[in-house]
Amino acid sequence: MNNSYATNGARRLKAHVSVLGTTQLHLRNPYIVAWWSAAFPGFGHLLLSKYLRGYILCIWEIFINSMTKLNLAMVYSFTGNMEMAKDVLEPRWMLLYIPVYLFGIWDSYRTTVDMNKVFVLADHENASFKSYAISAFEVNYLDKRRPIMAIIWSLLSPGLGQLYIHRVFKALFTMVCMIVFVYYSKLLVAVQFLFLGEINLATEVIDPQWLLFLPSLYGFSIYDSYVNTVENNKLFKSEQRKFLKENYQQHRFKIPVKVDEVE
C-alpha cells in the first residue's frame, strides 16, 4: 500500500519507503565513503545504498582475501615476521585482488560525488514520496529513532542496528557475515578458553585470517546505523514539514511577531 506518490512532473525523489526498507539520498563526504571502500571493498557502496554492487564487492573481498591469505600475512607483518608473511601470500590470487580493490575505492568516490549532485536537485524539487508502506508480510514507516540505540545494538551484534532502522537486506547480509566470520575464526571457542584461564589454548585455536574481518564489520555496522538513523530523522522532519505546510497552512498566512513596547 502506497499512501503517496510523486507528482507527474517530478523527476527525482529524495527517498523510497518500502516494506523492505527506507532508501534515501543525502549529502555524503566522498573521502569517507572511499575510506570505507579501502577498509573493506563494498562497504562504501553499501553506504550509498548501492546494494547489488556493494554485495558483489563484499563477496569478492571475502573470497579473494581468503584465497590470498592476505589477513594472515598482515598479522605476520604486524608481529615483525616478514618472511612468514611473504611465504603465506598466494601471488596468483593477489594479482586478481589489486584491480578490484582499486576499482572499489575509485567507483565509490565517483558515485558519491554524482549522488550528491542528484540530491541537491532532488532537494530543490522536493517532490512528494510515500511515507509508509504496508503489506501482508511487513510494515515500514518514517518516524524518529534514537541514534544512540542504533550504536548500542550494533555493538551487541552487527546487523541489529540496521534492523532497528528497518534496513532489512543490509541487516541480513551483515548478520550472515558476522556468523561466518565468528564461526570460521573460532572466536567463541577462544573466548570460552579465556574464561577458563587457558590463554595459550585460546591463542592457538583462533584463526587470524577470519578474525581480522571482524573489526571492519563492527566499525561499518556502527557507523552505517548511526548515520542512517540521523538522516532518517531529518527525512521524517522534512516530510512532515512539507505535509503540514501544504495541508494546514493557509495561503498568505503570516506568523504573528511580538513587538516590544516602546517606553
Side-chain angles (χ1 to χ4, degrees):
M1 175 181 178
N2 297 337
N3 69 313
S4 181
Y5 296 90
T7 58
N8 292 332
R11 296 186 62 193
R12 299 173 180 86
L13 298 179
K14 290 194 295 184
H16 174 72
V17 178
S18 71
V19 294
L20 296 178
T22 301
T23 303
Q24 67 177 112
L25 294 174
H26 61 84
L27 294 177
R28 299 174 174 90
N29 189 325
Y31 294 104
I32 293 179
V33 175
W35 185 90
W36 278 110
S37 292
F40 199 107
F43 281 176
H45 291 84
L46 292 182
L47 287 173
L48 299 172
S49 298
K50 304 281 286 187
Y51 295 119
L52 292 180
R53 198 177 305 182
Y55 294 150
I56 291 173
L57 289 173
C58 285
I59 294 172
W60 176 267
E61 162 68 14
I62 296 171
F63 174 74
I64 295 296
N65 195 311
S66 300
M67 299 303 295
T68 59
K69 302 295 182 183
L70 180 60
N71 284 347
L72 186 59
M74 291 173 61
V75 172
Y76 286 143
S77 64
F78 292 158
T79 56
N81 298 320
M82 301 305 296
E83 292 300 325
M84 295 182 67
K86 294 178 182 179
D87 293 338
V88 77
L89 278 176
E90 177 53 65
R92 291 177 298 177
W93 289 99
M94 192 67 186
L95 295 177
L96 291 175
Y97 180 87
I98 297 175
V100 179
Y101 181 80
L102 295 177
F103 170 81
I105 299 173
W106 172 81
D107 187 65
S108 63
Y109 179 89
R110 177 197 61 82
T111 305
T112 305
V113 174
D114 289 343
M115 291 184 66
N116 284 345
K117 296 176 183 178
V118 174
F119 168 75
V120 172
L121 296 174
D123 190 48
H124 282 295
E125 189 170 356
N126 199 22
S128 299
F129 60 90
K130 62 180 181 179
S131 60
Y132 81 97
I134 186 170
S135 72
F137 300 99
E138 187 60 274
V139 58
N140 183 27
Y141 51 89
L142 288 179
D143 66 337
K144 293 187 66 176
R145 295 177 185 174
R146 300 178 61 187
I148 188 63
M149 291 304 301
I151 294 177
I152 292 174
W153 285 118
S154 295
L155 283 171
L156 292 175
S157 180
L160 295 182
Q162 279 74 21
L163 273 183
Y164 173 66
I165 57 175
H166 206 93
R167 297 286 179 109
V168 178
F169 280 137
K170 193 181 294 185
L172 177 62
F173 180 80
T174 306
M175 295 174 74
V176 169
C177 288
M178 177 66 177
I179 294 171
V180 172
F181 296 161
V182 169
Y183 178 81
Y184 283 104
S185 66
K186 300 181 181 178
L187 176 62
L188 297 183
V189 179
V191 172
Q192 182 181 5
F193 282 132
L194 284 176
F195 287 156
L196 297 174
E198 302 289 346
I199 300 178
N200 292 332
L201 288 176
T203 305
E204 293 175 2
V205 75
I206 204 162
D207 187 345
Q209 169 62 34
W210 290 94
L211 182 67
L212 219 59
F213 285 127
L214 286 174
S216 298
L217 185 67
Y218 259 99
F220 168 76
S221 179
I222 294 170
Y223 176 81
D224 177 73
S225 60
Y226 174 81
V227 169
N228 281 306
T229 304
V230 172
E231 295 299 333
N232 280 0
N233 290 344
K234 293 179 182 178
L235 183 66
F236 171 76
K237 291 180 181 179
S238 175
E239 195 277 335
Q240 284 287 90
R241 186 186 305 113
K242 178 179 173 63
F243 174 79
L244 294 174
K245 184 176 180 180
E246 292 179 349
N247 293 274
Y248 293 97
Q249 183 169 308
Q250 297 179 359
H251 182 58
R252 295 178 182 175
F253 176 82
K254 295 183 179 180
I255 300 176
V257 179
K258 181 179 179 181
V259 180
D260 295 335
E261 295 182 0
V262 180
E263 296 181 357

